[in-house]
Amino acid sequence: NAGVTQTPKFQVLKTGQSMTLQCAQDMNHEYMSWYRQDPGMGLRLIHYSVGAGITDQGEVPNGYNVSRSTTEDFPLRLLSAAPSQTSVYFCASSSAAGAFGEQYFGPGTRLTVT
Amino acid sequence: AQSVTQPDIHITVSEGASLELRCNYSYGATPYLFWYVQSPGQGLQLLLKYFSGDTLVQGIKGFEAEFKRSQSSFNLRKPSVHWSDAAEYFCAVGERGGSYIPTFGRGTSLIVHP
């Protein structure tokens, strides 16, 4: 199993550009989520999904969109990038059969917006 | 809603010394509790978890944690730290019967001196 994969690993955007961060998991997990990590702020939840076709907002959803058309994929779209979105982004997945909160993380995408 | 506090932003220890990282949570019932480790430039990896039963749980890499209900704490310990333990450590709490999305603390950065 590859687990949770994320692409790209690094990305530089100009203000106003849009892009999609990709996330895929091969563990057939029902739950997937996106976090951003900033120094001193820990992990903040952006959006999450409890199954294909179902998504919900987390703590910091503004400026981001998600969709979940398949169990495996959960892309995160930046609509119009801003310098405040410079961060490291992590995707995670978990199983409904597991414990509440036991998550498997991808390696992260480091995004810089200039 | 649950919350997690990691009161120490940074901890510095000498190699071979013992380690204790603190974690306090706020939750009305007995939660699921987790410790994750993040090595530099990597994603988060689960160290150990508590669901129920024995309040002292063993994890990977020689770590253990003890759940103390009376103190609402789940402190992480290691008897002898290795230089490779230098990393960011996150405590997380999951809600029984609720969302599968855990709440994370802000993290504690462990620095190991030779």
Side-chain angles (χ1 to χ4, degrees):
Chain A
N1 282 356
V4 179
T5 58
Q6 291 182 239
T7 56
K9 284 193 165 69
F10 302 94
Q11 183 69 48
V12 179
L13 289 178
K14 294 188 189 309
T15 297
Q17 287 184 317
S18 63
M19 80 159 294
T20 299
L21 307 186
Q22 301 292 343
C23 174
Q25 53 93 7
D26 62 359
M27 298 173 282
N28 204 33
H29 284 172
E30 299 86 346
Y31 297 87
M32 297 186 74
S33 49
W34 275 102
Y35 296 88
R36 59 178 290 173
Q37 183 179 30
D38 303 290
M41 303 295 291
L43 290 168
R44 292 185 291 171
L45 182 66
I46 304 171
H47 285 285
Y48 65 97
S49 169
V50 299
I54 306 170
T55 64
D56 206 347
Q57 296 181 352
E59 181 186 354
V60 288
N62 292 342
Y64 307 95
N65 265 359
V66 292
S67 60
R68 183 102 178 267
S69 56
T70 67
T71 300
E72 294 78 19
D73 300 300
F74 191 44
L76 178 73
R77 281 181 287 277
L78 279 69
L79 309 172
S80 177
S84 60
Q85 294 178 303
T86 293
S87 187
V88 181
Y89 291 85
F90 288 100
C91 179
S93 72
S94 59
S95 169
F100 293 81
E102 181 177 359
Q103 296 198 306
Y104 295 79
F105 284 84
T109 294
R110 186 175 295 274
L111 176 68
T112 302
V113 182
T114 61
Chain B
Q2 65 266 35
S3 65
V4 180
T5 302
Q6 293 181 247
D8 303 306
I9 297 173
H10 302 283
I11 291 276
T12 301
V13 299
S14 298
E15 192 169 14
S18 63
L19 171 70
E20 182 169 34
L21 302 183
R22 296 183 290 164
C23 172
N24 293 96
Y25 67 89
S26 172
Y27 182 59
T30 301
Y32 293 110
L33 294 161
F34 307 86
W35 275 99
Y36 289 86
V37 60
Q38 182 184 29
S39 298
Q42 305 294 316
L44 278 72
Q45 180 185 20
L46 183 68
L47 270 179
L48 48 77
K49 58 195 176 190
Y50 171 78
F51 299 160
S52 64
D54 192 348
T55 57
L56 184 64
V57 293
Q58 304 296 321
I60 62 171
K61 305 186 182 191
F63 285 91
E64 66 178 26
E66 186 171 12
F67 169 56
K68 292 186 176 179
R69 185 191 308 274
S70 61
Q71 298 176 19
S72 297
S73 68
F74 189 56
N75 293 350
L76 182 70
R77 300 195 294 250
K78 187 169 185 178
S80 177
V81 169
H82 188 262
W83 64 266
S84 61
D85 293 324
E88 190 89 14
Y89 291 82
F90 292 93
C91 182
V93 58
E95 184 179 344
R96 289 177 187 268
S99 167
Y100 281 90
I101 306 300
T103 298
F104 283 86
R106 292 199 170 188
T108 297
S109 178
L110 175 64
I111 301 162
V112 180
H113 282 314

